[in-house]
Structures are given as structure tokens and as C-alpha cells.
Amino acid sequence: MLSQAAVSFRSRYSSALLAAAAVSGTAYAALNQEGTGVAHADAAKPAATALDPNEFRAFKLKEKKQLTKNTFLYRFELPDNQTSGIFTASCLVTRAMFKAKPEDEKPKAVIRPYTPTSANEARGHLDLVVKVYDQGVMSKHIDSLKVGDTLDMKGPIKKYPYEANAKKHIGMVAGGTGITPMLQVIDAILANPADKTKISLVYASVSESDIILKDKLDALAAAHPGQLSVHYVVDKAAWGGLFWKGSQGRVSKELLAAQLPAASKDSLVMVCGPPGMMVAVSGNKAPDYSQGEVSGILKELGFDATNVYKF
């Protein structure tokens, strides 16, 4: 179950996205550029892609696969063997209509952001990895979908403007489903032989069985030794940690100092996870959902707003 702080955070974020979704065209795009108010031309959808940044479209659920006890991969069909239009780094928003109270005359839109885990160039399908929360209105709705049912999606929404080799070393700190935007960046870097950017990922989960897409991460690390390193952290490992090769406990200053690049103009640390982890590691975003100041462990390690990005 989510903590009260997490529920409050999700509620505020969803309200902001709902307001943004009511705006059309370039104004909508501008509202989603991390609070900058600047519309980006490259957020426009090429003609042959399935998603549209200016309107919600319905996509059929094609397949559902369980990843952990409460996390699932949902594969949606893209028409005419199209690509989604998602690029690195960007996300989409989902929409569903609900009556908040039985006495409500009309349903209201609930909006939630997700980062697809399918490759940007994948044709005919789009994958969302979703953790189903007890109090998660949208996650429970997605989980209730049957094959053939549809979900409204809109995007892409530009996040971090990634450029190959712009940084020599990118550190990543992810918690839970916060791994999804990290995977998008990792996939883009490793798919480009000309991109020599080094990646160091610290991925925190409750337990070993809660690690999402571990097989994929391990395979990528094995295929790209020296470029991608992955270090897992769990609250408490099974069997007293006898067979566990990662860390136990909370993400600490000592751990991040050992695993991440040092603060410099040539390094960047990306952070994404539950509110409590964000506060401890980097600080949450500002109330207007711009990046805000850097605090927590990363500030103690010498990082600032120039070399930290909060998804």
C-alpha cells in the first residue's frame, strides 16, 4: 500500500497532468516541458506514428505478462505496423473516465504518465510496465483490461533532451517502476555503436522478487561490459543475503559515492523513484514540476542542478 505522502504526491501530479491534457496543440506541449513553458518542434508527431501529442487515441490491449507479484507488462497493438512515436527521452499519458463518487452525474478524466519499455523503433506494439497499487486508480483500471479492450493514450511528451556523447558518464538511481525511463535511455545508448557514454545504474527494490526486468538488465550488462554496470539494492535479501551479490538496506551516501560518477561537467545523474527515495537522493521536483534545486545525498556529493535530472 502506498504511504500517505506517496498518495498525496501522485494526486498532485495527476491533477497537474489533467489540467495540461485539457489544453490542445503547442500549448499542451509547452506545459509539459518540465515547467519551461517552451514548446519544442521535435515533440510533433511524424505522420507515420501511432501516438499523437495533440489528441488521445484508443489502443487495444494485445497481451499481459506478470513480472513481479504486483507488476505487469501490458502490450498494446499499434495499427498498420506503425511505430509509437516515442523518442529518448519522452513519455506518454494515459486517460480513463471515472465517477469519483456514485452520486456524480458525469465521469471525470483521470490522467497518469508512463514511459514505454518497448524500443522506440518497435513496430506494431507498445509496452507499458505498470505496478498495480491498492489505491492506484489508473493502475487498477489498466489491470482490469481484457485482451481486446482499449486504453486512451496521448504523446509523446518530451522529458530529457538526450544527445549521444554529450556526457562521458551517466549515473542512474532508480526505485521500483522508476526503472522505465532509465531503460529508455539505456536502450538508446547501447543501440548506438557510436555512443560511448558510460552508464552506472543503482536500482533499489523491496526484495529480489520485486526487481523489474532484471533478466533484461543483466543481459544488457553482460553484453556491454565496461559500458553498463548495474548494482541492485534490496531492503533485505533472502537467506540472510547468503546468495545475494548486491547491497541491502537503503540507498546511502557511501553506496552512491562508490557506484556513481563523480560530480563534474562531464557527468550526469538521473533519478526516478517513489517520493521518499527522491527526497533522500536528490529532492523532489519543484511545486510547478520544474526540476527545482538538488538536495539530499547528491547535493552532499557535490552535484547540483547542472548535472542532475529528475524524471
Side-chain angles (χ1 to χ4, degrees), residues 66-72 130-133 210:
Q66 186 165 7
L67 301 178
T68 73
K69 63 179 181 294
N70 56 5
T71 305
F72 301 83
V130 180
K131 185 172 183 177
V132 181
Y133 293 96
D210 290 302

Side-chain angles (χ1 to χ4, degrees), residues 39-152:
H40 293 263
D42 58 0
K45 178 190 73 66
T49 60
L51 289 167
D52 191 301
N54 301 314
E55 67 176 15
F56 281 99
R57 294 178 174 178
F59 297 93
K60 289 183 180 180
L61 180 65
K62 183 177 180 180
E63 184 182 344
K64 174 182 175 180
K65 178 182 178 181
Q66 186 165 7
L67 301 178
T68 73
K69 63 179 181 294
N70 56 5
T71 305
F72 301 83
L73 185 150
Y74 302 89
R75 174 161 290 186
F76 292 88
E77 180 179 341
L78 302 182
D80 302 322
N81 203 36
Q82 291 177 322
T83 59
S84 66
I86 290 290
F87 54 87
T88 304
S90 66
C91 69
L92 56 79
V93 290
T94 59
R95 179 186 67 178
M97 307 299 291
F98 298 98
K99 287 187 177 181
K101 299 177 182 178
E103 61 269 23
D104 288 346
E105 292 185 7
K106 296 182 179 179
K108 297 180 180 180
V110 173
I111 309 291
R112 293 291 188 274
Y114 291 99
T115 302
T117 57
S118 44
N120 297 347
E121 64 275 13
R123 291 189 172 275
H125 71 273
L126 177 149
D127 296 342
L128 297 182
V129 169
V130 180
K131 185 172 183 177
V132 181
Y133 293 96
D134 291 339
Q135 299 179 37
V137 177
M138 180 60 76
S139 65
K140 290 176 71 175
H141 169 70
I142 294 175
D143 193 51
S144 73
L145 297 177
K146 296 178 176 60
V147 172
D149 290 346
T150 62
L151 180 67
D152 288 349

Side-chain angles (χ1 to χ4, degrees), residues 14 16 32 66 94 100 125 129 141 184 199 212 232 270 279-280 282 296 302 305:
S14 299
N32 284 281
Q66 186 165 7
T94 59
H125 71 273
V129 169
H141 169 70
Q184 188 182 77
I199 313 161
I212 300 168
Y232 299 106
M270 297 177 166
V279 169
S282 63

Side-chain angles (χ1 to χ4, degrees), residues 221-240:
H224 299 273
Q227 187 172 16
L228 170 64
S229 66
V230 180
H231 187 86
Y232 299 106
V233 186
V234 297
D235 290 354
K236 188 176 181 180
W239 301 97

